[in-house]
Amino acid sequence: VSVSNDQLDEVDAGNRLYSRQSRFRVDAEMVRDAALRISGLLVEQKGGSSAKPYQPVGYWQYLNFPTRSWKPDSGQQQYRRGLYTHWQRTFVHPSMLAFDAPTREECVAQRSVSNTPSAALTLLNDPSFVEAGRALGQRAIQEGGTTDMERIHWLFQTVLSRRASQNEMTKMIELLEQFKTQYTMDIKAAVELQAVGQFKLDPEVDIGQASAWAMLGRALLNVNEAIYRN
């Protein structure tokens, strides 16, 4: 693991003896893969034609000779691994670009790794990640247990591979109550949230509750720990 301790800091402060693992963010293709896997949406079909995940309208408007347009895939093709995403040189998928994927205009021996607001906003607002949060919220309700605390621990275990600390649990419960109140009072907002992407909410799941848990799932998918190898 990358977590050190007092003894290791004293013996190998610079990690010259490799007493601990380096901490690094996963590659651009794997960021979305992780969200899809966690949410239960990932399709593991191997080979076949390129996939076209959601992309901002007009992103290709300056791509001419010939002019082209982007139509997101429907069905299982939408949820395939990033490895299969259609690649357009100089117009790399913006989600990939936010996480430092090379443009393939030249050979890159090692990818750069940045930590930018664009990456955080992609995790929060890209339709693929919003949809993943929706599916994750439904999973928390249906698979995470019967109490809020059980479901929060389930979310932490599923997204971050650990249980929530007491401080995290307190903050998550406060956040959950805010979202429950918001979506109970504003059903229109809940409907709009549940309309993002192709995933269909189970009709037996309350839309306000599902939206509150979806927001909690989105919050966890947005933390560094979710996309970094520790």
Side-chain angles (χ1 to χ4, degrees):
V1 296
S2 62
V3 180
S4 187
N5 55 49
D6 293 340
Q7 182 180 4
L8 290 179
D9 288 343
E10 182 178 351
V11 174
D12 188 20
N15 202 30
R16 297 169 67 181
L17 302 177
Y18 299 107
S19 59
R20 60 186 177 274
Q21 190 180 68
S22 297
R23 184 173 184 265
F24 65 86
R25 196 196 66 213
V26 299
D27 288 334
E29 293 86 347
M30 298 180 188
V31 174
R32 178 172 167 273
D33 289 357
L36 292 178
R37 163 68 76 179
I38 290 166
S39 65
L41 294 174
L42 183 68
V43 173
E44 298 191 30
Q45 174 193 343
K46 296 180 180 178
S49 59
S50 296
K52 292 185 175 181
Y54 311 114
Q55 180 172 285
V57 176
Y59 183 62
W60 276 8
Q61 62 180 315
Y62 299 110
L63 187 59
N64 296 307
F65 311 112
T67 57
R68 276 155 281 192
S69 60
W70 180 279
K71 182 179 180 181
D73 283 324
S74 59
Q76 292 192 331
Q77 188 76 354
Q78 175 62 222
Y79 308 113
R80 300 191 64 203
R81 293 185 182 278
L83 171 69
Y84 297 107
T85 298
H86 174 86
W87 207 282
Q88 186 71 42
R89 285 192 302 174
T90 73
F91 282 86
V92 180
H93 191 281
S95 177
M96 296 276 201
L97 208 56
F99 293 101
D100 307 302
T103 62
R104 297 191 182 180
E105 294 173 80
E106 57 187 13
C107 178
V108 176
Q110 182 176 358
R111 296 187 181 190
S112 60
V113 179
S114 64
N115 186 6
T116 65
S118 295
L121 289 171
T122 297
L123 285 175
L124 191 62
N125 297 318
D126 184 291
S128 290
F129 293 98
V130 176
E131 184 177 31
R134 291 180 50 226
L136 181 60
Q138 178 172 293
R139 285 194 66 196
I141 293 173
Q142 296 180 328
E143 304 173 31
T146 56
T147 68
D148 288 347
M149 291 185 66
E150 288 178 344
R151 289 170 177 172
I152 290 172
H153 276 308
W154 181 91
L155 275 175
F156 268 76
Q157 194 66 53
T158 302
V159 180
L160 306 180
S161 299
R162 64 174 178 83
R163 290 174 66 82
S165 68
Q166 186 58 53
N167 184 51
E168 289 169 334
M169 177 62 71
T170 300
K171 291 184 180 298
M172 292 296 276
I173 288 177
E174 291 175 356
L175 193 59
L176 178 63
E177 291 304 317
Q178 291 178 19
F179 287 135
K180 283 183 177 180
T181 301
Q182 174 185 344
Y183 288 113
T184 298
M185 298 178 63
D186 190 354
I187 294 299
K188 181 180 178 182
V191 171
E192 290 175 350
L193 174 61
Q194 295 298 329
V196 177
Q198 302 174 31
F199 174 76
K200 300 299 182 184
L201 181 67
D202 187 331
E204 295 184 1
V205 177
D206 179 78
I207 190 170
Q209 292 288 321
S211 297
W213 282 99
M215 294 297 288
L216 220 59
R218 289 176 66 193
L220 278 184
L221 289 173
N222 193 261
V223 301
N224 279 353
E225 198 175 338
I227 59 172
Y228 274 75
R229 192 191 77 168
N230 288 309

